[in-house]
Amino acid sequence: MGDTVQQFFAVKAKIAAAEQEAGREAGAVTLVAVSKTFDAFDIQPVIEAGQRVFGENRIQEAQGKWPALKKAFPDIELHLIGPLQSNKAREAVALFDVIEIIDRDKIAAELAKEIARQGRAPKLYVQVNTGSEPQKAGIEPREAVAFVKRCREVHGLAIEGLMCIPPADENPGPHFALLEKMAREAGVAKLSMGMSGDYEIAIAFGATSVRVGSAIFGNR
């Protein structure tokens, strides 16, 4: 068994332990294996080990490897977790099953148009910039609940979750707690939060999915 597959099973075991520790149901948390920068050859052993949910940052990179993998494994669910320009909405809706990075009206409007045009309905999340970091994507926390409402009422989008990436140099706990509070206020059930360094903490704060890359695939 290769290192990647062993690391995958180790992450799965830690997720199960964190669920139990937090008093969550077994299987309450979905592992999104972040396969950005890794090619199909690296990803396939993890698929064969049973993983079906993957995350990618860049549309162009994903287009190069996932159509063939999705054909071979039709039950794969692919998440877009990196920034999206409005002119790439067509490609995003065509390829991804979950789009986690809606953070402004222009993107919401373009996605709504493409969803109607293509007849595909990816699951949708709003990204919140919980640390208000100027260099990072995501809507400001104070605007998030109103933005979810606007996505639903103005753009007709069925938002089902919130996503965040806490500042690298801060304790992630308060950011996860803030996202959970906003999700309750906005009436959304899903929380995409927690990455390789902090996913066990995120599970304690109510994450329904965690995005883990380097702990499975190693560093590129």
Side-chain angles (χ1 to χ4, degrees):
M1 189 163 65
D3 284 353
T4 300
V5 172
Q6 283 178 317
Q7 285 156 202
F8 161 67
F9 283 122
V11 168
K12 291 283 281 183
K14 285 181 178 175
I15 288 171
E19 285 172 338
Q20 192 173 10
E21 178 80 14
R24 312 265 310 268
E25 271 182 49
V29 180
T30 298
L31 168 61
V32 180
V34 179
S35 47
K36 65 176 184 179
T37 75
F38 290 90
D39 58 27
F41 178 80
D42 298 309
I43 299 164
Q44 192 147 339
V46 180
I47 299 174
E48 286 165 359
Q51 178 65 11
R52 288 295 182 271
V53 186
F54 291 86
E56 288 283 339
N57 270 44
R58 296 173 188 276
I59 291 174
Q60 203 168 351
E61 184 194 330
Q63 284 172 323
K65 59 191 174 188
W66 281 105
L69 286 169
K70 287 184 90 176
K71 200 170 179 182
F73 302 93
D75 55 343
I76 276 173
E77 182 179 272
L78 194 57
H79 291 229
L80 179 60
I81 57 172
L84 175 63
Q85 293 163 320
S86 53
N87 64 355
K88 293 284 184 192
R90 176 175 297 193
E91 290 96 327
V93 170
L95 182 59
F96 290 91
D97 306 294
V98 183
I99 296 172
E100 297 200 12
I101 42 61
I102 301 169
D103 64 355
R104 55 197 188 279
D105 283 282
K106 191 174 181 187
I107 291 287
E110 286 297 322
L111 288 172
K113 194 165 78 182
E114 284 304 323
I115 286 165
R117 199 182 68 80
Q118 296 184 34
R120 276 197 102 228
K123 296 169 187 165
L124 303 172
Y125 289 55
V126 163
Q127 181 174 353
V128 184
N129 186 352
T130 55
S132 297
E133 296 173 276
Q135 78 285 9
K136 201 174 271 183
I139 190 131
E140 283 290 314
R142 64 180 177 276
E143 297 168 25
V145 174
F147 179 61
V148 170
K149 189 174 186 212
R150 213 158 58 241
C151 283
R152 288 171 172 158
E153 294 176 1
V154 176
H155 303 293
L157 296 176
I159 302 293
E160 72 164 41
L162 301 182
M163 181 267 242
C164 76
I165 305 167
D169 55 353
E170 289 185 24
N171 173 5
H175 294 272
F176 297 152
L178 175 63
L179 199 72
E180 192 275 333
K181 177 175 176 279
M182 287 186 291
R184 273 187 285 120
E185 287 175 16
V188 299
K190 305 282 187 176
L191 286 169
S192 172
M193 58 191 197
M195 300 191 293
S196 286
D198 56 20
Y199 65 90
E200 291 159 286
I201 300 167
I203 290 168
F205 280 95
T208 57
S209 61
V210 293
R211 308 179 306 275
V212 180
S214 56
I216 298 170
F217 294 103
N219 291 311
R220 236 316 172 235

